[in-house]
Amino acid sequence: QNELAALAKQQAELDSIRQEEHADFVTAKADLELGLSGVRKALQVLREYYASDSDAALVQGEAKFGALMQQPALPEKHSQAAGAGSSIIGILEVCESDFATNLAKEEQEEADAQDEYEKITQENKIEKTNMEQDVKYKTKESKSLDK
């Protein structure tokens, strides 16, 4: 009986630890997914910005209206710093890779922990069943000897 109580206590502790680990995983996964989506959005915006050809739209507009109206010279515009953009994009791509790697690592650790938990739980169930059968047969044997 004492062994059964100890086994039940061990399983309860195991359940509690597993619940805490799973809660930590859910939090970490949400954080990593949020970070990954933010980095991907930033990459998308930067790639669109540095890939856009805003001069082409102005040239088209100038060609359409040039025949009808006399246009003043175009003012100097802000030019994109392509070198800085590629550096920033490169850094963000490394961040994206790190987030994705960490997310995959967390998911693998969670799967491994869940497998280990299920294995130990199954072993505990088998051990509990064996102990209960032993108690049952010992009780039965004890009663038959008392008669």
Side-chain angles (χ1 to χ4, degrees), residues 3 15 18 33 41 46 48 81 84 91 95 110 117 128 137 145:
E3 291 174 1
D15 293 344
R18 181 69 196 117
E33 286 176 341
K41 181 66 177 169
L46 287 171
E48 287 174 3
I91 291 170
C95 290
E110 172 66 11
Y117 168 77
K128 179 182 175 190
Y137 288 123
L145 290 175

Side-chain angles (χ1 to χ4, degrees), residues 36-83:
L36 188 58
S37 68
V39 169
R40 286 181 176 158
K41 181 66 177 169
L43 279 169
Q44 176 187 358
V45 169
L46 287 171
R47 284 181 179 137
E48 287 174 3
Y49 175 76
Y50 286 106
S52 69
D53 190 7
S54 59
D55 292 336
L58 290 174
V59 170
Q60 271 183 339
E62 189 176 330
K64 283 183 184 176
F65 297 110
L68 299 174
M69 295 194 286
Q70 190 70 10
Q71 293 287 327
L74 291 174
E76 287 187 35
K77 296 184 302 183
H78 168 72
S79 62
Q80 300 167 346

Side-chain angles (χ1 to χ4, degrees), residues 127-139:
E127 189 174 343
K128 179 182 175 190
T129 302
N130 288 338
M131 286 181 186
E132 288 173 345
Q133 290 299 321
D134 286 348
V135 168
K136 179 180 171 183
Y137 288 123
K138 286 180 182 179
T139 303

